[in-house]
Amino acid sequence: MDAIRCEVCGATQSLPSLEPRRRALCFRCKSEVARGPTLSLDAPLALCLAALIFWALANSIPFITLEYGGIIQTNRVFTGVTALWMDHQYFLSVLVGMTSIAIPGLQLSLACGLMLALRRGVSGGRLRPLSRLLAFIAPGSMPGVYLVGAFVAAVKLSQLATLTPGPGLYCFGAFALLWVIGLGSLDLEGVIEDFRPRRSGR
Amino acid sequence: MKRVICPRCGGVCGVPEEARKRLLCPGCKAPLTENSTPQNSISRVWALLIAAAILYVPANLLPIFDMELLGRPSSDTILGGIADLFGSGMWFVGAIVFLASIVIPLLKILGLGFLLISTSRLGSVQARLASTRLYRAIESIGPWSMIDVFVVSLTISLVQFGRLASFSPGPGAACFAMVVILTILAARSFDPHTLWAIPEEN
Ligand SMILES: [Zn+2]
Ligand SMILES: [Zn+2]
């Protein structure tokens, strides 16, 4: 039994030791107060690495191609950011660039680095600044929202011109999906507290 | 003197303005940490929320798009764009944009305002549970109102037809983006602890 204080309502309560993958809810306010220990980081690490690969691909190959009266225009994910910048919309340009590309990429790289370090046996306490930084930037990461935005823009523009999805769009979709699965269920702040790498040869 | 609510017993303790290090509750001897000063966070949330509510007006009245199609200039507000989508039979996409751009920001502003007003009057456990759930919902829907900002960036990056057509973001786009950022910051600044800080009536 462990005594723990709920961060939301402040109620102190004792918890039985949790099985892996189980969550405990506060008896008073029903917020999550604890999670079972993480035994292996293999699956989230693989998902985050795969998401990072698709992130890089999505940024470097054509996203959507538009055809209008013989003019063919291809854009990449980054074209929106540069177009806004050229239009002197610096605030919007930085905002779009950060939330759709930069922060998700930084978030995935940090998470991968952190998990690799934990597997190497670096103690959780030394990684705490990293996990705090991750929690701080997390709300600025919106790849799923960007994908829906691309869908809405494509539907609107299809009245005007012919649109063809490029391979970058599929890569971006794969990246957004893996991002959700890989990071969504991962509680890195909890993981660095209780993850113990298995010693080799045991 | 400053009023601080003890995180453990809920008792109200007087604390000198400067000394905030390792003060103990006179009742139960629990440490009074920085996050047990809800008064601070509440006024910050109010400030962010009022700023968001003020910007919500130009965000909806000013055009988010300035367009020029075949030499004819026109502009489009958020509501105008939604009306266009409904008018051309795209109900599904119209509904997505309506939800993301009109309903969600409004829900966040009204919902957080309601939480701020009601936090000192919450009595029963049920009311607090409902408020905690409302807070969690407000926090998680936040990013979805970014859809229109992404639509603007994708549209201007795809439509650069030289003299045939040109799109550029209108002043409403930046206002709208600010509303999204301010409501996300307000939701993050709100400390759900305040919903539980006052001891419940039985
Ligand atoms: Zn609780
Ligand atoms: Zn106390």
Side-chain angles (χ1 to χ4, degrees):
Chain A
M1 301 285 266
D2 258 339
I4 197 161
R5 222 194 93 205
C6 170
E7 272 178 37
V8 174
C9 74
T12 311
Q13 52 213 285
S14 52
L15 281 181
S17 51
L18 287 169
E19 302 268 305
R21 290 161 172 275
R22 297 299 286 259
R23 311 184 312 147
L25 301 185
C26 170
F27 75 94
R28 190 162 166 236
C29 72
K30 313 282 181 263
S31 308
E32 184 181 304
V33 282
R35 278 190 194 187
T38 311
L39 297 182
S40 160
L41 287 172
D42 295 351
L45 183 60
L47 285 166
C48 287
L49 282 172
L52 206 54
I53 292 168
F54 278 112
W55 174 83
L57 277 174
N59 280 310
S60 45
I61 52 183
F63 193 61
I64 299 178
T65 304
L66 180 145
E67 203 185 325
Y68 176 84
I71 308 168
I72 294 174
Q73 211 144 2
T74 301
N75 87 333
R76 285 152 206 266
V77 179
F78 213 75
T79 320
V81 180
T82 41
L84 283 168
W85 190 269
M86 305 287 217
D87 215 40
H88 309 292
Q89 302 281 342
Y90 306 116
F91 164 62
L92 288 175
S93 167
V94 170
L95 181 67
V96 170
M98 295 291 266
T99 52
S100 64
I101 307 166
I103 297 181
L106 178 66
Q107 204 187 9
L108 284 169
S109 331
L110 281 176
C112 287
L114 208 149
M115 286 190 273
L116 283 169
L118 277 174
R119 280 162 57 103
R120 290 257 168 124
V122 179
S123 79
R126 283 173 54 201
L127 296 168
R128 207 163 288 136
L130 260 183
S131 78
R132 274 212 206 101
L133 178 63
L134 260 170
F136 178 74
I137 62 172
S141 186
M142 317 178 176
V145 182
Y146 187 78
L147 208 57
V148 177
F151 169 69
V152 172
V155 170
K156 277 182 144 179
L157 287 172
S158 64
Q159 295 170 286
L160 199 84
T162 316
L163 288 149
T164 327
L169 185 61
Y170 298 115
C171 288
F172 199 92
F175 147 63
L177 191 69
L178 289 166
W179 174 86
V180 169
I181 307 172
L183 285 178
S185 60
L186 195 61
D187 163 35
L188 278 172
E189 277 182 285
V191 168
I192 62 165
E193 298 302 331
D194 63 17
F195 181 73
R196 303 277 172 278
R198 276 166 291 183
R199 300 268 175 276
S200 50
R202 232 201 258 176
Chain B
M1 290 289 263
K2 193 185 239 165
R3 281 170 64 244
V4 167
I5 296 165
C6 167
R8 191 189 289 165
C9 70
V12 179
C13 322
V15 167
E17 210 66 58
E18 275 87 13
R20 282 235 256 126
K21 270 193 172 173
R22 298 295 303 167
L23 281 167
L24 300 183
C25 165
C28 71
K29 304 283 180 274
L32 301 170
T33 49
E34 263 187 89
N35 50 17
S36 59
T37 54
Q39 223 46 51
N40 232 334
S41 97
I42 284 180
S43 46
R44 188 167 56 213
V45 181
W46 269 125
L48 291 166
L49 208 55
I50 290 168
I54 291 170
L55 277 171
Y56 187 72
V57 178
N60 277 289
L61 292 181
L62 298 176
I64 58 161
F65 269 127
D66 288 321
M67 308 175 265
E68 212 180 295
L69 276 173
L70 304 166
R72 260 180 306 157
S74 66
S75 63
D76 213 346
T77 58
I78 289 177
L79 273 174
I82 296 168
D84 270 357
L85 282 170
F86 278 119
S88 42
M90 294 189 247
W91 293 89
F92 180 62
V93 179
I96 293 180
V97 180
F98 181 70
L99 266 179
S101 306
I102 306 284
V103 178
I104 291 182
L106 211 55
L107 264 182
K108 286 177 70 180
I109 293 173
L110 294 178
L112 272 175
F114 170 78
L115 285 180
L116 286 172
I117 291 168
S118 66
T119 166
S120 55
R121 290 175 207 153
L122 289 171
S124 68
V125 176
Q126 281 82 5
R128 289 170 203 236
L129 271 178
S131 300
T132 310
R133 234 172 263 138
L134 174 65
Y135 168 68
R136 251 181 259 142
I138 289 173
E139 210 188 12
S140 56
I141 57 172
W144 290 98
S145 29
M146 277 288 281
I147 286 179
D148 249 352
V149 176
F150 291 146
V151 170
V152 170
S153 96
L154 277 156
T155 307
I156 73 156
S157 79
L158 275 168
V159 186
Q160 291 157 348
F161 294 142
R163 259 171 280 156
L164 289 175
S166 77
F167 279 69
S168 66
C175 292
F176 185 76
M178 276 310 290
V179 171
V180 180
I181 294 179
L182 286 170
T183 50
I184 290 178
L185 286 179
R188 290 254 289 172
S189 309
F190 183 82
D191 181 0
H193 204 107
T194 53
L195 297 172
W196 298 87
I198 302 163
E200 55 240 57
E201 307 151 359
N202 288 314

